[in-house]
Every structure is written in structure tokens, then in C-alpha cells.
Amino acid sequence: MSVRLDLMSDSAANTGTPFGWLRKAAGRVSWAARKFGYYCLPPAVYDSVRFPGRMILPRMFQPTERGRLRTALRQRFGTPLPPSPPPLPAFTAPPPPPAPVPEGGGHHPSPPPPPQIDPEAANAYYLYQSYHALPERHEADIESKLARLREVMGGVRYDRVRLYREVARLERMIGRDTKAALYLLRCMRLTGGDRWGDLPWVRATLEANRFPAEAEAAWAMYGPAADRDAECGRILRAARDRWLQPPALADEYAIWDDRRGDARPRVSVLMTLYNGANKLAHFLSALQLQTLNRRGEMELVIVDSNSPMDEYAAFQQAALTFPIPTLFARTKNRETIQTAWNRAIPLARAPYISLLGVDEAIVPGALERLAGVLDAEPHTDWAQGSILTTEADKFGNQASDIMTYDKTGYANDLVYLETCYLGPVGAMHRKAMHDRVGYFDNTFRGAGDTEYKNRVLPGLTVTTVPDLLGLYVNFPEERTTQSPTAELEDGRAWYLHRTPAGVRYAFDGRPVEDLERQLVRCLWYRKSYLQKMSTDFALAEAVAAVLRERAPDSPVLAAFGPGIAAVAAAYRGLDEFPGVRPDVWTAHARGQKDAVLAALADHKRLGRLPAEIDYCYVNDNINEQHHWLW
């Protein structure tokens, strides 16, 4: 009997024997029969004693149970995950090397210490292990798992592609397809293409959820490789041509209250309103202190985009020591902020314009300072200063300073690396500028400001003054520009301009030396809101591609090009690890880091960059923008 049991045990382990395949087939039939009864029979019939209160609807038609069935099918018939390895040892420094043994000492040398495990790679592995096995039995489980992923995301710097694809899968399971598409687009961006064939689904999802332009941009950037360049360039040129003329907007206003009189002001402040009634009094109280207003050289144009709040009543009740000549116009329909700007520009009567939101402000002498710059420099289109961000309560009382957008050292080409270097707050521009470079794109909901800057920047002359002139007031509420919608729109507002076609659009007609300077700038620059230095190897690759077309013999390209390609490839490798084993991850991470260090050493020897330059994966733009979970 013991021999028979041993034989049966061996056959069960070896599916190649008759006993093995028969047992395996019987197990599958039994499993399928149990699942069939569980999912296809009404719960009242299948389990009336344990669950008498369940609905009679078969589980096959219950969304949560369908998710469990899909999970069970993957676990039963899909490729199994590799077994979890034993826990890794604690991260300790390797022991010091043994002291050299004198000749003839008679002692055998100690064996070399074991290779040290890369702490960051091991940490990424442990974080992965902490969430991948969490249950997904119903929607509450999935929401809990997503919450866990948001918690660990702050500590994840490696293998993010796996994490984003996992989040996209979970978001699809609970019906949030637009968010799932957003995370799949991140994966395409980090890996440089549609590695998993997700683009057709992403495109259809975006089109079905009122993001047709974003779907078109995604297809242009990640679709067939042979068509990418032409499609990206076509979209950029079409946007430029479309918005050169002011859009036709119907003069349909629910309220038109013009209190400006006959004066011809020097500066027009244009403000858009939506859900801002509780902030309007604070805004007007600050704006009335402008020195130009006190001299009668300023006017205010307010466009209320059919807000659900009563901003007009708040405007009428505002008690100002220095009244502001104001036009208050309320539209009959809800419109985007870009449409509101396009409405306000023709209504301005002054030659200079300053754009503000109800949660923004400027110092009392800002308009006079900026108008003086435009008066003294006829060739300048846009004058601006730096900006301070503060935390405030719902009444606008400032609680604490958060950060400064320091625009010292401004250059137009810095905006392609960090868009906040150019902005409307604490700034002023010529009204006539719009007839030359264009108007705002009405189709944007959250990223229109970014798109406008990238689109018109090639034709813009900017002067930056070394003064703090603007103020962002962070009220305790969400901002439209900080949302999944804004990130999706950034595909065509920001990332489309970072392709080779976007670089050509920006540098068309400019000397090769400008491209060479931009290539080097990508390797060591400061974001306006940070003190540390950053790199941007994704944009550097695009600039190098265009420079290779225009000047294949460029000495700057020959010196920096190979290192840029090596670092960009290494960063892609750090975002996508092979397998799920910590020993593999450690070796993989070490190889990518060594490639980065080798490129850094080569670039330092060239002497074109500061001595303190450092290439650090976490300080690259791919880790400083769009890395969090919504």
C-alpha cells in the first residue's frame, strides 16, 4: 500500500504520467463544475441557507462577482507568479576588507564579502509585495487596494510602469476608464511607445469620454512609428493656424453692468469668475490698492462664466475705499476659462493687459512697474516678475508661505523645460500681441494656459524684472489645473511640444547654436519653484534628434549625444524592471546606475557643465512631473 501511495504521489507531481494527467483533468472538471454552480445558479438556490438575503440575480450578471470570476480564471489557467523568495537580509554595510596578510604569514585570505543588495531596488520589491496580493473580491477591496497604492507611491522610484499598469487595471475593474487611460499613457511615455498594445483602447476611451483632441495627440505620439513625426507636426501647425484669429463668440450675456465711464485707461485687468463669490471681496480689496487705480489709469473687466454662485451680488456689495472702474459681464452658459479670456480681451480698452483669477493677486505697485517696462521697451511683448505662493483660509487670510516661483535667469527656452517660468500672474502684455501670435484654445478645460505658452512662445519677446510681483493664494479647495483632466490635456499642451516635431516647431528658423545651448541646458537647469538642479533627458533626446538632422557634424552633439542616449535608456530601464525577484532587480538597477555614472563621467570631462553637476534619476523631470496617483 505504501508503494502504491508513493507511485500515486509521484504521478501527481509529474503530469506526464497517466495518473498525473488524469488527476489534473479530474481536478479541472471538478473545479469548473463548482464554479459553474456558484456563478450560474441563483444564489437562493445555490446557497439558500448561508445567504438567504442575497438577490436572486445569477452571479454571472453581478459586476463584482464577474470580477472574482476573472481573477479565479487567471489564477487557475494563467501564468502563475513566481514563488515569493525568502525575506531579504537587513540592509547593512558590507564588512571592511581583511587586512593584507604579510608574505609567509601562513594565514589564508578571507573570502570576499557577498554582494550588497541595492536598497532602493529591494525597497521597490518590498512595496510591490505589500500590495500585489491584496484581495480584489469587491469594489470596496479594490478601493482599499488603490488607497494602499497611493500611500506607497511616495516611496516608489523604480519599476513604476508595473505599478501604473496595475493601477490602470484596478481602475478599469470599477469602471473608471478615463483614469485607467491616463495611467496607460504614463506607461507609454516612460517606455517610449505602446509596448502592450493599449493604444487602440486608450484612444477609444478618450474619444468616448469627451477627450477627442487628447486621443488624437496620443495616437500621434505613440501610434505607428513611421507616422509619428508627421502627425505631431500637423497637430501643432493646425493649432497655431486655428487660433491666430479671435474665435467667434455670441454676445449672449445674462448680466452686463458697465461702470467704466468714458476714461481711457492705461492698463486693463481681466478676470474670470466661477465659484468665486466668497473670494471676490478679498480680491477687489487688494486690487483697489494698485497705484494706477488710485490715479485713474486702470480698469477691471470681469467675465462670470455662468457660475452657480451669486458673484454679481458679491460685486455689488463690495465696499471699496478706491473704486475700480469695472465691467461685470455674466454669460448665459458655462464656458471654459480660455473662452472667458477670449471674451475679455476684445472688451479691454487699454493697450496693456494683465490676466488674473479670483485666487490670485499682485503687489500694489506691480501694474505701474510692468507698464513702465512695456513703455520703455517697445519690442517687448510680455513683462513679468516672480510669484509667491501662500496658504490661506476660505476668507483669504494668509496663513503661511509655501514657495516662490523665482524667475531669475529667465530665458524663453527654459519654458520648454519648466512651463512656470512664464505665466500671467504678476505679468502684463500688450493687447496687440494677440493679433500677431494668437488667442487661447477654447477646447481646453485645465491645461489651456500651458498650451498657449508653448504655442506662442516662438513669437514672443519677454522681459523679466527682478521683483516679486505676483501672489498665488491657495484656498482650501481643489484647483482645475491640478486634476486628472489637466494631466490628460497636458498630452497635447505639454508633451506634444517635447517631441522632435515640437522641438522643430520651437526652433524653426533659429540658428543651430540655439539648439546646442538647449541640449546642454537640458542636462543642468533649475525649475522656477525649486532650489535644486534638475535634468530632462527625455527632452534632451528630442533636441538631439533635431540637432542631428540640422547639423550632423555638431561638436556639441558628438560630445553629449551618446551619453544622453545612454542615460535616457537607463532611466527607462529603472522604470521597467524585469520579473519580480529582488536579486534580479538589484543586478538590473546596478547596471542602469553604472551606465548613468559612466555618462556623467564622460560629460564632466568635457568641461561644458558646472563641476557640481550630478545625474540623479529622482531629480529628472520624469520624476518631478506627473508621478503621483490621482
Side-chain angles (χ1 to χ4, degrees), residues 15 100 164 166 545:
T15 56
Y164 291 147
E166 175 75 354

Side-chain angles (χ1 to χ4, degrees), residues 21 65 123 133 232 292 319 347 351 355 402 486 549 553 604 623:
W21 72 261
E65 298 296 344
N123 180 56
C232 290
L292 288 186
L347 299 177
L355 307 178
I402 301 176
E549 296 170 356
D553 298 329
K604 279 188 173 183
N623 271 294

Side-chain angles (χ1 to χ4, degrees), residues 310-373:
D310 194 352
E311 278 83 359
Y312 186 55
F315 165 70
Q316 291 177 309
Q317 295 166 8
L320 303 181
T321 305
F322 307 102
I324 306 172
T326 303
L327 165 63
F328 189 103
R330 176 180 170 89
T331 61
K332 292 183 179 180
N333 301 302
R334 171 77 173 105
E335 296 177 338
T336 67
I337 187 172
Q338 280 69 42
T339 304
W341 290 136
N342 287 336
R343 281 190 180 278
I345 291 168
L347 299 177
R349 302 183 303 181
Y352 302 153
I353 287 176
S354 182
L355 307 178
L356 287 176
V358 73
D359 53 355
E360 297 160 348
I362 46 180
V363 301
L367 296 182
E368 184 173 10
R369 176 84 166 89
L370 295 170
V373 173

Side-chain angles (χ1 to χ4, degrees), residues 247-447:
L249 299 172
D251 292 332
E252 298 180 352
Y253 295 100
I255 297 174
W256 181 273
D257 186 354
D258 195 343
R259 305 183 182 186
R260 295 178 293 177
D262 298 329
R264 288 296 169 182
R266 186 178 175 194
V267 175
S268 294
V269 176
L270 311 184
M271 185 180 73
T272 61
L273 265 180
Y274 191 81
N275 279 347
N278 58 323
K279 309 170 190 173
L280 186 56
H282 178 269
F283 174 87
L284 295 174
S285 296
L287 187 63
Q288 69 171 335
L289 300 178
Q290 287 297 309
T291 54
L292 288 186
N293 178 57
R294 299 173 68 172
R295 294 211 304 262
E297 299 180 20
M298 186 192 87
E299 70 173 9
L300 174 63
V301 176
I302 299 176
V303 176
D304 174 356
S305 298
N306 194 32
S307 171
M309 302 177 72
D310 194 352
E311 278 83 359
Y312 186 55
F315 165 70
Q316 291 177 309
Q317 295 166 8
L320 303 181
T321 305
F322 307 102
I324 306 172
T326 303
L327 165 63
F328 189 103
R330 176 180 170 89
T331 61
K332 292 183 179 180
N333 301 302
R334 171 77 173 105
E335 296 177 338
T336 67
I337 187 172
Q338 280 69 42
T339 304
W341 290 136
N342 287 336
R343 281 190 180 278
I345 291 168
L347 299 177
R349 302 183 303 181
Y352 302 153
I353 287 176
S354 182
L355 307 178
L356 287 176
V358 73
D359 53 355
E360 297 160 348
I362 46 180
V363 301
L367 296 182
E368 184 173 10
R369 176 84 166 89
L370 295 170
V373 173
L374 295 180
D375 287 341
E377 302 177 8
H379 65 282
T380 296
D381 301 305
W382 190 291
Q384 64 175 4
S386 295
I387 306 169
L388 175 67
T389 302
T390 67
E391 199 77 37
D393 61 21
K394 63 180 180 180
F395 303 106
N397 299 316
Q398 297 178 22
S400 61
D401 295 341
I402 301 176
M403 63 182 179
T404 300
Y405 290 86
D406 180 7
K407 302 180 182 181
T408 304
Y410 174 87
N412 271 18
D413 293 339
L414 272 171
V415 181
Y416 300 120
L417 288 154
E418 199 269 287
T419 183
C420 294
Y421 266 105
L422 183 69
V425 181
M428 183 182 295
H429 65 272
R430 300 180 189 276
K431 179 181 177 180
M433 178 194 83
H434 292 281
D435 293 331
R436 192 181 82 255
V437 299
Y439 291 77
F440 293 94
D441 186 338
N442 290 352
T443 62
F444 279 94
R445 286 166 274 181

Side-chain angles (χ1 to χ4, degrees), residues 68-356:
R68 294 182 62 183
L69 175 59
R70 287 194 294 269
T71 301
L73 288 169
R74 285 196 299 270
Q75 292 174 348
R76 184 69 182 180
F77 298 108
T79 303
L81 288 173
S84 299
L88 292 173
F91 302 139
T92 56
V101 179
E103 292 186 15
H107 296 286
H108 295 288
S110 301
Q116 186 182 20
I117 293 175
D118 185 274
E120 294 176 341
N123 180 56
Y125 173 77
Y126 284 138
L127 290 175
Y128 174 75
Q129 290 288 77
S130 73
Y131 68 73
H132 92 280
L134 293 176
E136 303 172 8
R137 295 166 298 185
H138 41 70
E139 186 169 338
D141 279 350
I142 296 173
E143 291 285 12
S144 176
K145 190 168 185 177
L146 286 169
R148 171 62 181 157
L149 285 168
R150 292 187 191 97
E151 290 176 6
V152 305
M153 189 60 203
V156 171
R157 295 297 186 185
Y158 290 163
D159 199 46
R160 293 183 301 170
V161 169
R162 189 189 312 276
L163 183 145
Y164 291 147
R165 291 189 59 78
E166 175 75 354
V167 174
R169 180 184 66 83
L170 295 173
E171 295 285 6
R172 288 187 68 179
M173 288 178 66
I174 55 179
R176 295 199 289 249
D177 288 355
T178 304
K179 274 192 178 182
L182 181 152
Y183 294 119
L184 293 177
L185 284 173
R186 283 191 188 179
C187 295
M188 297 178 203
R189 189 160 64 241
L190 292 175
T191 58
D194 182 22
R195 293 271 306 281
W196 296 270
D198 297 319
L199 189 56
W201 180 86
V202 168
R203 184 184 189 182
T205 298
L206 294 179
E207 289 174 343
N209 288 275
R210 301 191 305 133
F211 289 99
E214 286 67 35
E216 181 186 32
W219 190 265
M221 288 187 287
Y222 308 116
D227 302 334
R228 290 180 189 176
D229 208 52
E231 284 299 299
C232 290
R234 179 188 61 80
I235 294 174
L236 293 172
R237 291 188 297 271
R240 178 195 60 197
D241 297 340
R242 177 182 179 185
W243 299 106
L244 276 177
Q245 301 298 324
L249 299 172
D251 292 332
E252 298 180 352
Y253 295 100
I255 297 174
W256 181 273
D257 186 354
D258 195 343
R259 305 183 182 186
R260 295 178 293 177
D262 298 329
R264 288 296 169 182
R266 186 178 175 194
V267 175
S268 294
V269 176
L270 311 184
M271 185 180 73
T272 61
L273 265 180
Y274 191 81
N275 279 347
N278 58 323
K279 309 170 190 173
L280 186 56
H282 178 269
F283 174 87
L284 295 174
S285 296
L287 187 63
Q288 69 171 335
L289 300 178
Q290 287 297 309
T291 54
L292 288 186
N293 178 57
R294 299 173 68 172
R295 294 211 304 262
E297 299 180 20
M298 186 192 87
E299 70 173 9
L300 174 63
V301 176
I302 299 176
V303 176
D304 174 356
S305 298
N306 194 32
S307 171
M309 302 177 72
D310 194 352
E311 278 83 359
Y312 186 55
F315 165 70
Q316 291 177 309
Q317 295 166 8
L320 303 181
T321 305
F322 307 102
I324 306 172
T326 303
L327 165 63
F328 189 103
R330 176 180 170 89
T331 61
K332 292 183 179 180
N333 301 302
R334 171 77 173 105
E335 296 177 338
T336 67
I337 187 172
Q338 280 69 42
T339 304
W341 290 136
N342 287 336
R343 281 190 180 278
I345 291 168
L347 299 177
R349 302 183 303 181
Y352 302 153
I353 287 176
S354 182
L355 307 178
L356 287 176

